[in-house]
Structure formats: structure tokens, C-alpha cells
Amino acid sequence: MSSVTLRGLSSSSFFIIFILSIHLSFTCHGDVGTAARYSPPYIPSACYGSDATEFPSSNLFAAAGDGIWDNGAACGREYIVRCISAEEPRTCIPDQSIQIKIVDYVASAVSLPSTNGTTMVLSDMAFGTIANISVTFINIEFQQ
Ligand SMILES: *[C@@H]1O[C@H](CO)[C@@H](O)[C@H](O)[C@H]1NC(C)=O
Ligand SMILES: *[C@@H]1O[C@H](CO)[C@@H](O)[C@H](O)[C@H]1NC(C)=O
């Protein structure tokens, strides 16, 4: 009897610690937002004019949406981005995160995003690294 109670107690305190750590990881380390994707031509016009040397060699880059554009201060910022969910099940590639660099502003980008109004718009390479490239929209966790 008493060992059952003890086991019950310890598993519930583990559960509380687990919930707390999820809560902390969201409030301290990452923000939740949305991402679309965009395709070439990639011209970093809002940040770097037509200077293509500003693209990271990984091809992992993004255009900033209004929520993170920060009046242009977003240019060159780097974010760790992870896919957390999408409308279609199994869209996110599990345990996969990427580091992207902001090179443009969605509202003035030459290429249109796959979905309007997202936090950021990822290059095809970036999007396809964390999610199934056939969808147009994912929910993300991102951290500068
Ligand atoms: C996004 O908005 C632009 C401008 O209003 C429009 O041309 C485009 O079709 C929209 N894209 C989507 C995916 O709805
Ligand atoms: C990506 O999504 C499409 C459309 O839902 C599906 O046919 C395809 O199998 C998916 N690819 C992977 C790797 O899951």
C-alpha cells in the first residue's frame, strides 16, 4: 500500500517538473510563431540590396515578417527554428532544428510567400530541412 502511494507521489512530482521545464523552455528560450516558404529568385533587397554574398553558404535563410522585422534591425539576425506542428499530421521532421539568417523583409521581397502574414518566410532549403516541403504553412518555435 505505502509503496504504491510513494510511487504515485514521485511520479506526480516528476510530472510537475516535466510540465515546469516545458513551460520554462517556452518562456525563456523560444517564441512560438508561424512560417511560410518562398522560392527563387532570392534577392536580399530590403537588407543588402542585390548583394548575394550575404546569403549564408548553408542556404538556410529567411525573410522577416512584420512581427520580427523591427524596422530593419532584423537584418542579419540569426534564429534557431524548429517545426512544432502543422495542419497535416507528420509534416514536421522530428528533432530537427536549423539556424537561419534574416536577409530580407517579407513585405518587399521579390518572391511571394507560400502563405501571407507569417512570422517569417523560410528559403526552400530551410523549410524542407524541418518540414515536408509540400505544405505551405507550419507552426514554429524560434529563438535568437
Ligand atoms: C498574399 O498577398 C498578396 C498581395 O495581396 C497576393 O498577391 C498573394 O496572392 C497572397 N498570397 C497568398 C498565398 O494568399
Ligand atoms: C509530404 O506530403 C505529401 C502530401 O501530403 C505526401 O504525399 C508525402 O508523402 C509527404 N512526404 C513525406 C516525406 O512525408
Side-chain angles (χ1 to χ4, degrees):
M1 244 343 224
S2 66
S3 83
V4 170
T5 311
L6 273 178
R7 217 178 301 147
L9 269 180
S10 64
S11 68
S12 64
S13 43
F14 275 123
F15 184 69
I16 288 167
I17 290 166
F18 179 66
I19 294 295
L20 275 178
S21 59
I22 287 177
H23 182 69
L24 287 176
S25 72
F26 273 96
T27 51
C28 298
H29 302 300
D31 289 313
V32 173
T34 55
R37 55 178 164 76
Y38 69 150
S39 300
Y42 296 125
I43 300 159
S45 47
C47 290
Y48 306 111
S50 56
D51 185 1
T53 65
E54 290 293 342
F55 289 117
S57 57
S58 61
N59 281 324
L60 302 177
F61 56 86
D66 287 312
I68 61 169
W69 174 237
D70 200 3
N71 210 19
C75 290
R77 279 186 187 154
E78 303 207 345
Y79 289 95
I80 305 284
V81 181
R82 194 165 69 82
C83 178
I84 52 175
S85 65
E87 209 165 287
E88 188 72 24
R90 291 182 295 280
T91 294
C92 295
I93 296 170
D95 303 319
Q96 190 68 261
S97 60
I98 48 169
Q99 181 168 341
I100 55 99
K101 177 183 174 182
I102 300 295
V103 297
D104 205 357
Y105 178 37
V106 174
S108 65
V110 175
S111 302
L112 290 178
S114 57
T115 300
N116 284 325
T118 58
T119 311
M120 64 179 74
V121 177
L122 300 168
S123 64
D124 283 332
M125 176 67 87
F127 195 97
T129 304
I130 56 171
N132 185 332
I133 194 78
S134 68
V135 306
T136 57
F137 174 86
I138 55 173
N139 296 306
I140 55 166
E141 185 188 11
F142 64 105
Q143 176 192 346
Q144 199 182 333

